[in-house]
Amino acid sequence: DGGITQSPKYLFRKEGQNVTLSCEQNLNHDAMYWYRQDPGQGLRLIYYSQIVNDFQKGDIAEGYSVSREKKESFPLTVTSAQKNPTAFYLCASSIDPPNFNGYTFGSGTRLTVV
Amino acid sequence: AQSVTQLGSHVSVSEGALVLLRCNYSSSVPPYLFWYVQYPNQGLQLLLKYTSAATLVKGINGFEAEFKKSETSFHLTKPSAHMSDAAEYFCAVSSGGGADGLTFGKGTHLIIQP
């Protein structure tokens, strides 16, 4: 079945470390997104990419970086510059208009600073 | 510009009672509207969507929503709540047929009382 796979499901980071969250989709979707979710704050957009080798900052990009070298993959790196990285991270993808049908989400990665 | 307002960060209903989750949107062009559900530590799952066809939309798990242009609303309802409906619900809007991506509301946590 087609879908989005996020790994790992749980991730622990020490102070000062960079960590990378994986997101892979086999839906042949053009656009991919990263969201951060904190209690009571809904979903906040970190980065998005509409085509390979191109991506745009979202509302809270500081302390994060991404790459889009393949259509299927959109990894997110949480750098040491992100001062409060503990959160639930969601990856999503969508097909471009005129066939836009909403987003398909992965099952998320919970990142905890230890 | 597009935006979504979900009234009530928490809604509590008794098992068997009517569920009503409110969503109002702002969009400069005819919108696409979506409701998603999220269970703890999982990604978002599409419940239903409105993409300019029938104004009363039926989704999974017995949920439905009605698009009311005059009220700029897309409220989610279910005639009889089940314990398994306890989750976080997100309303989302897209203008321009998806060209502007999805904008999410902050979510409503649905609590089911036995």
Side-chain angles (χ1 to χ4, degrees), chain B residues 36-59:
Chain B
Y36 287 86
V37 62
Q38 184 184 32
Y39 299 100
N41 289 311
Q42 294 186 26
L44 276 67
Q45 178 185 2
L46 182 66
L47 266 181
L48 49 79
K49 62 183 182 231
Y50 167 78
T51 56
S52 75
T55 57
L56 181 62
V57 181
K58 294 187 183 300

Side-chain angles (χ1 to χ4, degrees), chain A residues 3 14 23 65 90 108 113:
Chain A
K14 294 182 179 179
C23 178
S65 66
L90 287 163
V113 173

Side-chain angles (χ1 to χ4, degrees), chain A residues 12-32:
Chain A
F12 298 90
R13 191 194 93 168
K14 294 182 179 179
E15 295 281 353
Q17 272 186 340
N18 292 354
V19 291
T20 298
L21 283 60
S22 171
C23 178
E24 303 276 336
Q25 55 102 354
N26 61 2
L27 299 165
N28 199 32
H29 284 176
D30 302 294
M32 297 187 73

Side-chain angles (χ1 to χ4, degrees), chain A residues 57-109:
Chain A
K57 291 182 178 181
D59 301 318
I60 57 164
E62 186 175 350
Y64 300 97
S65 66
V66 293
S67 63
R68 186 89 185 275
E69 298 177 0
K70 300 186 300 181
K71 187 175 185 179
E72 303 79 18
S73 178
F74 191 41
L76 173 74
T77 296
V78 184
T79 76
S80 57
Q82 171 49 241
K83 296 306 178 189
N84 184 22
T86 294
F88 192 55
Y89 291 86
L90 287 163
C91 180
S93 69
S94 69
I95 199 164
D96 284 346
N99 298 315
F100 182 76
N101 201 29
Y103 291 178
T104 299
F105 283 86
S107 57
T109 293

Side-chain angles (χ1 to χ4, degrees), chain B residues 74-89:
Chain B
F74 191 57
H75 301 332
L76 182 71
T77 61
K78 181 174 180 178
S80 176
H82 295 167
M83 295 300 291
S84 60
D85 295 327
E88 191 86 14
Y89 292 81

Side-chain angles (χ1 to χ4, degrees), chain B:
Chain B
Q2 56 191 32
S3 66
V4 174
T5 301
Q6 291 184 239
L7 293 178
S9 59
H10 291 78
V11 170
S12 180
V13 302
S14 298
E15 191 175 16
L18 171 72
V19 175
L20 171 61
L21 303 183
R22 299 178 186 273
C23 172
N24 288 89
Y25 70 90
S26 171
S27 175
S28 57
V29 297
Y32 287 4
L33 293 158
F34 303 81
W35 274 101
Y36 287 86
V37 62
Q38 184 184 32
Y39 299 100
N41 289 311
Q42 294 186 26
L44 276 67
Q45 178 185 2
L46 182 66
L47 266 181
L48 49 79
K49 62 183 182 231
Y50 167 78
T51 56
S52 75
T55 57
L56 181 62
V57 181
K58 294 187 183 300
I60 61 172
N61 301 338
F63 284 93
E64 62 181 38
E66 186 172 8
F67 172 65
K68 292 187 176 181
K69 183 179 178 180
S70 61
E71 298 177 7
T72 62
S73 69
F74 191 57
H75 301 332
L76 182 71
T77 61
K78 181 174 180 178
S80 176
H82 295 167
M83 295 300 291
S84 60
D85 295 327
E88 191 86 14
Y89 292 81
F90 292 92
C91 182
V93 63
S94 179
S95 302
D100 297 331
L102 277 183
T103 297
F104 290 87
K106 290 193 177 297
T108 297
H109 185 62
L110 177 62
I111 300 163
I112 310 297
Q113 305 279 5

